[in-house]
């Protein structure tokens, strides 16, 4: 039942994305797709775990199952470059892991379903673009993440940054304050910038009510 709910939610998020883009299913040709669902029981108890336990779980969750390479390989070949597509989807997935952690802690979302993501490669016949999507059922909003040092430590945990944060809390409100009870993988936000700058690709992230959609237009690259 939890698996079915997760798959249904991913499909629902995809439909919300199409509505946001004013696209219709009749305008699309699905070239390839697959879903990965994580049945890690710790996600249902995430709000009871301390940050170290969350970190340990994320270190395991961030490693994609072996079947991923086979699944994404077919999508990449269809798109035109298996290596590039595999790398981009992995970056997009790792970026969504922090949303899983946030949703599991704040919403206790995965007591009723599993975290998961869906990869969709489709041709938009109306706009004449080939689009790659990574749909996830994480928090569904732009989650503030702590900056990481080269050692992987939270830079914001320093005394000076804590003083600055205290001042912001006291004299003003910020929507981007980091919730330090929640573990984050850190650094994946840079992957999106890398895709834009180094590969010069058109990439966007759409935050919806129940998840997020990583969108990559491929027509200018392949």
């Amino acid at each position: 039942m939890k698996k079915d709910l997760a798959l249904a939610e991913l499909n629902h998020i995809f439909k919300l994305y199409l509505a946001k883009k004013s696209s219709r299913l009749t305008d699309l040709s699905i070239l390839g797709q697959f879903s990965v669902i994580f049945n890690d029981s710790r996600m249902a108890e995430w709000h009871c775990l301390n940050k170290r336990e969350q970190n340990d779980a994320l270190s395991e969750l961030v490693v994609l199952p072996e079947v991923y390479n086979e699944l994404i390989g077919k999508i990449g070949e269809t798109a035109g470059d298996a290596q590039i597509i595999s790398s981009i989807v992995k970056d997009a997935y790792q970026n969504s892991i922090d949303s899983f952690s946030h949703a599991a802690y704040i919403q206790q979302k995965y007591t009723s379903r599993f975290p998961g993501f869906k990869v969709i490669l489709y041709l938009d016949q109306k706009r004449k673009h080939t689009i790659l999507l990574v749909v996830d059922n994480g928090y569904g909003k732009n989650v503030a993440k702590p900056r990481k040092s080269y050692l992987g430590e939270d830079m914001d945990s320093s005394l000076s940054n804590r003083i600055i944060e205290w001042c912001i809390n006291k004299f003003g409100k910020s929507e981007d304050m980091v919730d330090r009870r929640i573990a984050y993988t850190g650094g994946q936000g840079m992957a999106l910038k890398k895709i834009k700058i180094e590969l010069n690709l058109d990439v966007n992230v759409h935050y919806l009510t129940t998840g997020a959609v990583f969108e990559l237009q491929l027509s200018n690259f392949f």
Side-chain angles (χ1 to χ4, degrees):
M1 179 65 73
K2 290 177 72 172
K3 174 187 173 183
D4 291 342
L5 281 171
L7 289 171
E9 185 173 38
L10 290 172
N11 289 329
H12 178 63
I13 294 167
F14 176 49
K15 291 177 182 178
L16 290 176
Y17 157 81
L18 292 179
K20 182 178 180 180
K21 299 283 288 185
S22 299
S23 297
R24 297 179 300 177
L25 282 171
T26 53
D27 296 328
L28 312 183
S29 294
I30 304 293
L31 305 178
Q33 61 179 322
F34 67 86
S35 300
V36 177
I37 305 297
F38 297 89
N39 60 343
D40 192 323
S41 60
R42 289 172 293 188
M43 278 291 176
E45 304 170 350
W46 205 258
H47 54 288
C48 300
L49 303 181
N50 60 43
K51 196 171 179 180
R52 174 56 64 89
E53 290 170 329
Q54 292 178 32
N55 263 317
D56 291 343
L58 288 180
S59 297
E60 297 175 22
L61 194 63
V62 77
V63 180
L64 285 162
E66 291 184 9
V67 71
Y68 163 80
N69 293 322
E70 179 181 348
L71 294 170
I72 195 59
K74 295 176 181 178
I75 298 288
E77 289 171 5
T78 303
D81 193 319
Q83 185 175 357
I84 289 290
I85 293 299
S86 176
S87 175
I88 288 174
V89 171
K90 187 175 291 185
D91 285 340
Y93 158 66
Q94 290 179 341
N95 196 58
S96 72
I97 288 221
D98 291 338
S99 294
F100 293 157
S101 178
H102 207 90
Y105 196 96
I106 299 296
Q107 296 176 307
Q108 299 179 29
K109 185 173 187 176
Y110 306 116
T111 57
S112 60
R113 68 205 69 198
F114 293 129
F117 70 95
K118 185 181 186 76
V119 176
I120 305 171
L121 179 70
Y122 72 89
L123 177 65
D124 187 328
Q125 298 173 344
K126 188 175 182 180
R127 296 182 173 85
K128 302 192 183 304
H129 278 297
T130 302
I131 309 292
L132 177 75
L133 300 182
V134 180
V135 182
D136 73 72
N137 64 340
Y139 193 51
K141 64 182 293 187
N142 192 0
V143 178
K145 306 173 187 178
R147 292 175 295 168
K148 298 283 184 176
S149 71
Y150 69 97
L151 295 174
E153 299 171 342
D154 290 2
M155 292 181 66
D156 292 329
S157 62
S158 67
L159 178 60
S160 59
N161 281 315
R162 286 190 177 278
I163 292 173
I164 293 173
E165 187 172 297
W166 178 85
C167 290
I168 292 174
N169 282 329
K170 185 173 179 61
F171 300 107
K173 292 185 177 180
S174 172
E175 297 180 355
D176 296 321
M177 301 307 295
V178 175
D179 191 328
R180 302 194 182 282
R181 300 167 298 172
I182 307 171
Y184 297 91
T185 57
Q188 273 72 40
M190 293 302 296
L192 303 182
K193 295 180 181 178
K194 178 187 72 175
I195 293 170
K196 288 184 177 180
I197 296 172
E198 294 183 9
L199 299 180
N200 196 30
L201 293 176
D202 188 359
V203 59
N204 293 287
V205 180
H206 302 272
Y207 299 100
L208 303 165
T209 56
T210 59
V213 178
F214 170 94
E215 174 194 53
L216 178 67
Q217 291 192 13
L218 299 173
S219 57
N220 295 330
F221 187 75
F222 299 111

